[in-house]
Amino acid sequence: MGNDFVRYFYAPFLLLGINGAGIALVAAGASRWWLFALLAAAVSASFAAERFIPYEPEWNDSAGDGGRDAAHAVVNETLILVSVTAVPVLAAFVTVADVWPGGWPFAVQVLFAILVADAGITLVHFASHKVGVLWRLHAVHHSVRRFYGFNGLMKHPLHQSVELTAGVAPLLAVGLPVDVAAVLALAVAVQLLLQHSNADYRVGPLRAVLSLNEGHRFHHLKWAGAGDVNFGLFTLIWDRMLGTYSFDPGRRFSSDDLGMADKPRYPSGYLAQLSEPFRARGACAADEPVDDLGQGRAKV
């Protein structure tokens, strides 16, 4: 009974509980520092759920990657949250027309920001599987050999910056308020935890709409072309429009399915992963022309 409770209420707790608490606190004028506490609660809930209802029990065991993943998570999440403080400065240079719908309920403003950011981030993610210079940076994320919450924040900071810029720039152009940006930052972190979670949770028919772990595992298939699917961060709307949505409810995944088939010895250390995109060996076949079947790439 306890496991079933976690299985069905874990995702709503993060999606509605953590994000909802963030919206309520910021809307009430509370300090944005409370968002760090909510993020810590989300991380704790993520690790707890993975132990109560693991999809693959062995993915809960560190493969010598725990310290590296923690470093990625701390650096990348700090960059996300710190960037919120720069919103007023950036807006002064980027805002084209201050037409932000400030009259809408705060929760609706946040939802609007999420949908716009989802489009920009998804398109950059899609391009990162097609353009060599972007793939070099994105390959860090695809080097994972187990699938658990912290994988979502295991990204090269430059690639994360490109994605976030694509997601936030259109919002800044129309006058994104810093309070909405702060809750958006929390929502991104929560989504990454859910999307890469090793928890075998259930969301019913919403799995066909929301970009969560059931669908995102297909994105991490290691063979060329196989993982060119389910690029969305928050939703699968854009994948359906791009024709990149894929799902098979009977498919099971193991560590043998993950990683990069053509780069099985991709560096596993944190500093080595930061430098790998700038080394000659960090090039992938995505630098070469790609045919319609996705052949010729080292991964995806």
Side-chain angles (χ1 to χ4, degrees):
M1 180 65 71
N3 286 357
D4 285 341
F5 178 84
V6 176
R7 196 179 312 280
Y8 289 98
F9 287 93
Y10 166 61
F13 171 71
L14 261 65
L15 286 173
L16 301 178
I18 296 295
N19 287 331
I23 290 172
L25 285 168
V26 173
S31 169
R32 289 191 290 271
W33 286 103
W34 278 105
L35 298 181
F36 285 94
L38 290 174
L39 176 59
V43 171
S44 298
S46 175
F47 276 93
E50 288 174 338
R51 274 135 188 89
F52 274 107
I53 50 168
Y55 173 85
E56 177 56 69
E58 71 173 28
W59 288 349
N60 284 338
D61 298 327
S62 174
D65 54 6
R68 176 204 68 196
D69 292 351
H72 276 293
V74 170
V75 169
N76 290 332
E77 187 54 34
T78 299
L79 287 174
I80 291 174
L81 294 174
V82 168
S83 66
V84 171
T85 65
V87 165
V89 176
L90 293 172
F93 293 96
V94 178
T95 299
V96 175
D98 191 356
V99 293
W100 184 263
W104 294 359
F106 186 69
V108 178
Q109 293 181 49
V110 172
L111 180 59
F112 172 70
I114 286 173
L115 292 175
V116 173
D118 187 45
I121 292 171
T122 299
L123 291 175
V124 167
H125 193 179
F126 176 80
S128 298
H129 286 234
K130 309 293 182 183
V131 180
V133 66
L134 290 175
W135 171 250
R136 281 174 172 262
L137 298 171
H138 188 48
V140 170
H141 181 66
H142 279 277
S143 66
V144 300
R145 296 304 304 274
R146 63 184 178 119
F147 207 76
Y148 76 117
F150 264 10
N151 286 161
L153 290 165
M154 184 190 157
K155 298 183 178 186
H156 198 287
L158 288 180
H159 189 266
Q160 176 176 268
S161 298
V162 173
E163 282 189 330
L164 288 177
T165 298
V168 175
L171 297 169
L172 288 171
V174 295
L176 173 69
V178 67
D179 283 348
V180 175
V183 180
L184 174 62
L186 174 66
V188 168
V190 166
Q191 188 66 20
L192 290 171
L193 287 170
L194 280 168
Q195 192 178 65
H196 295 81
S197 177
N198 185 34
D200 190 22
Y201 62 82
R202 299 285 189 272
V203 294
L206 288 176
R207 71 185 184 186
V209 179
L210 301 179
S211 185
L212 299 171
N213 62 355
E214 283 188 274
H216 197 66
R217 293 187 190 109
F218 291 87
H219 181 74
H220 279 266
L221 288 169
K222 68 183 181 181
W223 299 281
D228 281 351
V229 298
N230 303 348
F231 293 97
L233 173 59
F234 288 101
T235 75
L236 295 167
I237 295 172
W238 305 104
D239 285 288
R240 291 181 179 277
M241 294 179 66
L242 291 167
T244 56
Y245 171 73
S246 179
F247 187 72
D248 175 3
R251 182 72 156 85
R252 286 289 300 180
F253 294 81
S254 70
S255 291
D256 291 338
D257 300 310
L258 309 180
M260 294 180 284
D262 289 354
K263 282 188 172 291
R265 296 182 179 83
Y266 196 87
S268 59
Y270 178 69
L271 294 179
Q273 289 190 339
L274 293 189
S275 62
E276 185 68 8
F278 306 102
R279 298 176 182 273
R281 67 188 184 198
C284 295
D287 294 328
E288 303 170 356
V290 179
D291 64 28
D292 291 338
L293 296 177
Q295 302 301 314
R297 277 179 301 238
K299 152 78 189 75
V300 295

